[in-house]
Amino acid sequence: MASEILRYTAFAAEPGGGNPAGIVLDAGGMSDAEMLATAQHVGYPETAFVVGGSPDRPRVRYFSPAAEVPFCGHATVATGVALAERHGTGDRVFDTPAGEIATHTSTGPDGRVLLAMTSVEPWTGAVAPEHLERLFAVTGLGPDDIADGFPVLEAFAGNRHPVLVLADPELFHQFRFDPRTLAELKADAGWAGTVTVLHRTGPLEYEARNLFPAGRISEDPATGSAAASTGAYLRAVGAVRGGDRVVIRQGRHVGRPSVLLVDVPAAGGVTVTGGATAI
């Protein structure tokens, strides 16, 4: 555990916003137990560990304070920006437990490094009835709270996320949940990612709450894998057309405003774009 731990925040909409991630660029000699202990020490939603490969094709694993997760979008953005600052911008491929993630870094007009990452092939499917019943129970939501034309589905673009779109903005802002009960449901359902709850604020704009009970964390400030899964979900239900860009705002409920830009092609992987800065 002597490796240097970098700390970056990704997708920030303003100073103090975004989702923090730990990064270890030289984790090749670390054991699983050491990576988990490091993630617990850092205390962020996820920490990324570069365990091999090269600067242009890093092999990366991701750990929350509770367990390893197959993929983490905001930690990928943070790691990609850290690599670009050290080795230059351009194209990179991340080899992750969820599959290959193609990324492209560039320098924006303000000098910040931006990263666009394209997800693995996404899919959507029904949520098991027993899991949906438990999800409604733990959140206090019900079928009548779901917006018309937005059925509850499970969406995958690196992690599995149940996606709920609520009709009532007040309910979206005010609903509560028990983190321990939700963590038990996530484990039983195999939802390594967040539970994604959305409210539509414009034709191609949404506000998101991503429920993620892990250690001291209950809600995630910005979730790249959920944003990609949301793009896949919106395509599946016909809420977007190929080539649309969706703006997702997240993190207001935990005091870390974030913005994620989601480009949805007619088919294939969904691209999520954002920046990251060192903390």
Side-chain angles (χ1 to χ4, degrees):
M1 295 178 61
S3 298
E4 181 184 10
I5 302 170
L6 306 176
R7 291 169 170 83
Y8 278 63
T9 186
F11 297 118
E14 60 187 52
N19 199 356
I23 308 165
V24 179
L25 294 177
D26 57 345
M30 297 179 70
S31 67
D32 289 10
E34 287 174 328
M35 286 188 275
L36 179 59
T38 299
Q40 292 170 342
H41 169 73
V42 172
Y44 293 158
E46 276 92 12
T47 296
F49 298 86
V50 179
V51 296
S54 67
D56 289 337
R57 192 174 184 116
R59 185 160 57 90
V60 185
R61 296 172 66 182
Y62 308 91
F63 283 77
S64 79
E68 184 174 11
V69 296
F71 177 67
C72 175
H74 83 276
T76 298
V77 170
T79 304
V81 169
L83 289 171
E85 290 172 346
R86 289 155 177 79
H87 302 286
T89 57
D91 295 327
R92 288 183 171 84
V93 175
F94 281 57
D95 287 316
T96 79
E100 296 181 357
I101 306 296
T103 73
H104 178 76
T105 49
S106 59
T107 304
D110 59 358
R112 291 192 313 136
V113 176
L114 295 175
L115 183 141
M117 61 181 177
T118 300
S119 75
V120 297
E121 183 69 31
W123 54 259
T124 59
V127 177
E130 64 272 20
H131 294 150
L132 182 56
E133 183 179 357
R134 289 172 62 187
L135 182 56
F136 281 152
V138 72
T139 57
L141 303 172
D144 292 342
D145 299 318
I146 303 302
D148 292 340
F150 292 89
V152 178
L153 295 175
E154 188 173 302
F156 172 88
N159 286 317
R160 292 167 56 197
H161 301 264
V163 181
L164 298 82
V165 182
L166 303 186
D168 183 353
E170 292 303 316
L171 181 62
F172 169 81
H173 292 300
Q174 295 178 9
F175 82 87
R176 299 290 184 266
F177 63 98
D178 177 63
R180 179 171 296 183
T181 305
L182 183 60
E184 293 171 352
L185 170 57
K186 285 173 74 291
D188 291 344
W191 296 331
T194 59
V195 172
T196 302
V197 185
L198 303 165
H199 172 65
R200 193 178 193 181
T201 57
L204 293 172
E205 295 190 4
Y206 293 80
E207 188 164 7
R209 294 178 63 182
N210 276 271
L211 317 183
F212 189 63
R216 300 187 300 271
I217 302 157
S218 59
E219 293 194 33
D220 212 14
T223 317
S225 66
S229 295
T230 295
Y233 166 88
L234 295 173
R235 183 170 64 192
V237 302
V240 296
R241 297 176 296 180
D244 280 344
R245 167 169 278 191
V246 177
V247 178
I248 297 178
R249 303 187 190 281
Q250 188 183 329
R252 183 152 61 110
H253 295 82
V254 292
R256 300 190 66 90
S258 307
V259 61
L260 302 92
L261 305 178
V262 183
D263 292 296
V264 187
V270 175
T271 300
V272 178
T273 300
T277 55
I279 298 173

